Amino acid sequence: MIAPSLVVAVPLAALLLTTVLQTRRAERTVAAGGAVATATAVSAVVLAPRPTGTPTELLGGWEVPLGIPLAVDGLSAVLLGMTAVVGLAVTAYAIAERRTGAFWPLWFGVWVALNVIYVAADVFTVYVGFEVLALSAVGLVALAGGVALRAALRYLFVAVLGSLLYLLAVALLYTDRGTLAFTTLSETAGSAPVAAVALALVTVGMMLKCALLPLHGWLPDAHGGAPAPVSPVLSALVVKGALFVLVKFWFTLLPGTGGVTAAGLLGGFGALATVWGAWMAWRQERLKLVVAYSTIAQIGQLFLIFPLATPVGDADPGGLPTAWTGALTLLVAHGLAKAAMFLAAGALAAGHGSDRLLTMAGASARQPVAVAAFALAGLSLAGLPPSLGFTGKFLLLESSVQTGRWYWAVPVVVGGLISAAYVMRVVGLTFDRSPTDAPHGARPATWSREVPAVVLAALVVVLGLTGAGVPDRIAESTPSTAAASMTGSGADR
């Protein structure tokens, strides 16, 4: 087994080097090397043969509770891989924009924090990852200056509040069970009321960080106002860390604690977010706000995993793994497609001097590569074949039928239709009329800005056509034992 700490140590080294370097060329050289090295380390850890179970690395050889355990399971492996792919594209785009200064340490700070969250095997180390993630992400938003400073401040308040709720839950669990390690937390008997309160705190905290309706107010301004290479980081990667932790708590660490009613409530919020977010995206007049509101919609769909993966009465248990695989396949598809859309939006805004949709007329002739990337990514968000997004949504629909809960298919279908409408609206505007002179303030379009977006968008389609083992790899991490434990007393709460 290759040590999971490798995926943390490599981007951490890049962070330190970009902090002390003094020249712009050296910064970009180290950033490119750091991104490639991090992706290589992730590939080595993720693709290495793993023995049965989830082997744990203890940093420094110290045993729990003094040591810090790290481990990689099936779900962690998929999210580490997705983060590495998006990270390479974001780095390439930022180099093309000639980003310098604080951007690089903050960006690698986000990468380090996400990898910590995905490989941590105790709940307190996850908290540390969230703190680093919040400070780095807020700093990236603030780089835009102006009105983005206000959005960054709101984001900071939300991130800190979410982390505080999570830390309170950690304190409760440690007081009740005397352990923080994943391997023992789920196996140690504790007070049911304490577990319920802890899960409620974690759920609300992660809902804040994910911007799930009605706790979504901070997201459009933060994602829409951030610099071009920062928006895909926030939308495609940062919110996934919170959802990853919430899924861990519900289905692995505290299985059976939430129950059907709470899972249905989360699914209800997700359904509302799916429709409302897509509708708001259709109404926007700025391209980046279209993509920002679509994030709210897509995150809502991902929350359907909670009701669909929770057994109810005589529901066909065969539909539960399907729901799990479908929602998490959709998570990967969303990460890749949303990064592609934001990068394409950044390239279009640079080429037109503004991201207002009215300025995009004729963009298909001026920047065909960026428009193609946006359209391909939108194909996945709408759930149209042959994209990976279609695979994920189809599995969710299949699960809703298998388990007899067809009503959860309604927001998936309706949200997909509205998503197709706003994507076609944007793409249609780019074909609105013959191209004229470039708008005032526009900069010449460069392939170096557009290629990362189109590569990600094409990858979503290729994965949809070939599968490339993504659903199978996710299925490896299906918490079947957790699902079984919820069939009993926890299912009728």
Side-chain angles (χ1 to χ4, degrees):
M1 181 190 78
I2 298 178
S5 58
L6 189 64
V7 303
V8 177
V10 175
L12 181 60
L15 184 160
L16 296 175
L17 285 174
T18 54
T19 301
V20 300
L21 291 174
Q22 300 297 318
T23 65
R24 296 181 178 182
R25 178 175 295 182
E27 282 181 345
R28 290 195 289 268
T29 301
V30 170
V36 172
T38 301
T40 303
V42 168
S43 299
V45 171
V46 168
L47 300 178
R50 295 197 304 274
T52 304
T54 306
T56 301
E57 174 193 0
L58 295 172
L59 289 185
W62 293 86
E63 295 291 335
V64 174
L66 295 178
I68 299 177
L70 304 175
V72 177
D73 60 15
L75 177 56
S76 298
V78 170
L79 288 172
L80 283 169
M82 185 198 73
T83 302
V85 172
V86 174
L88 286 172
V90 168
T91 302
Y93 185 97
I95 290 174
E97 274 203 338
R98 299 185 179 276
R99 289 278 168 179
T100 58
F103 173 83
W104 293 115
L106 291 172
W107 159 226
F108 280 107
V110 168
W111 207 340
V112 168
L114 285 169
N115 286 359
V116 166
I117 291 171
Y118 294 145
V119 303
D122 75 89
V123 291
F124 186 77
T125 302
V126 170
Y127 168 75
V128 175
F130 274 134
E131 289 298 284
V132 176
L133 182 62
L135 292 175
S136 301
V138 169
L140 285 173
V141 174
L143 289 178
V147 295
L149 293 176
R150 182 176 180 180
L153 188 60
R154 291 180 65 190
Y155 184 18
L156 177 63
F157 288 155
V158 167
V160 170
L161 178 57
S163 295
L164 177 61
L165 294 175
Y166 177 85
L167 184 59
L168 289 174
V170 170
L172 283 174
L173 290 174
Y174 184 72
T175 301
D176 182 51
R177 304 191 180 190
T179 182
L180 298 175
F182 287 176
T183 53
T184 54
L185 188 62
S186 60
E187 301 171 356
T188 304
S191 167
V194 170
V197 172
L199 184 62
L201 289 170
V202 171
T203 301
V204 175
M206 298 306 104
M207 285 173 62
L208 275 166
K209 290 179 177 290
C210 286
L212 181 68
L213 191 88
L215 306 177
H216 64 284
W218 62 270
L219 185 145
D221 289 340
H223 289 206
V230 174
S231 296
V233 172
L234 300 176
S235 182
L237 301 181
V238 172
V239 295
K240 302 302 188 300
L243 185 59
F244 168 82
V245 170
L246 189 56
V247 167
K248 276 276 190 182
F249 268 84
W250 270 75
F251 296 106
T252 304
L253 300 182
L254 299 175
T257 301
V260 172
T261 302
L265 186 61
L266 281 179
F269 285 137
L272 289 174
T274 298
V275 177
W276 183 85
W279 171 252
M280 289 299 293
W282 186 82
R283 296 181 57 192
Q284 299 308 306
E285 297 300 328
R286 284 183 51 209
L287 184 56
K288 289 189 69 175
L289 285 180
V290 170
V291 187
Y293 274 103
S294 76
T295 299
I296 296 174
Q298 300 301 319
I299 289 296
Q301 286 193 3
L302 294 176
F303 268 81
L304 296 181
I305 189 176
F306 295 99
L308 286 175
T310 302
V312 181
D314 297 328
D316 177 12
L320 304 180
T322 305
W324 174 264
T325 305
L328 298 177
T329 300
L330 194 60
L331 183 150
V332 175
H334 172 263
L336 298 175
K338 189 49 64 73
M341 289 188 87
F342 263 122
L343 291 177
L348 287 167
H352 290 76
S354 168
D355 72 335
R356 296 194 65 82
L357 295 181
L358 290 178
T359 68
M360 300 293 170
S364 59
R366 286 190 291 270
Q367 294 180 270
V369 176
V371 172
F374 189 92
L376 285 175
L379 193 79
S380 181
L381 293 187
L384 299 176
S387 65
L388 189 62
F390 168 78
T391 304
K393 292 189 179 187
F394 181 83
L395 290 172
L396 284 182
L397 295 176
E398 183 181 7
S399 170
S400 66
V401 173
Q402 287 177 337
T403 58
R405 288 172 280 180
W406 58 267
Y407 42 86
W408 291 118
V410 174
V412 177
V413 174
V414 174
L417 290 174
I418 304 176
S419 297
Y422 67 71
V423 171
M424 287 189 292
R425 174 178 176 243
V426 172
V427 176
L429 280 171
T430 67
F431 289 89
D432 189 39
R433 58 183 170 83
S434 298
T436 59
D437 293 337
H440 177 70
R443 289 175 283 173
T446 61
W447 280 77
S448 56
R449 287 198 187 113
E450 298 176 346
V451 167
V454 79
V455 168
L456 287 178
L459 182 60
V460 177
V461 175
V462 170
L463 290 177
L465 287 169
T466 65
V470 173
D472 294 335
R473 193 63 183 265
I474 290 174
E476 292 178 8
S477 59
T478 301
S480 55
T481 55
S485 69
M486 286 189 285
T487 309
S489 61
D492 15 68
R493 296 185 189 189

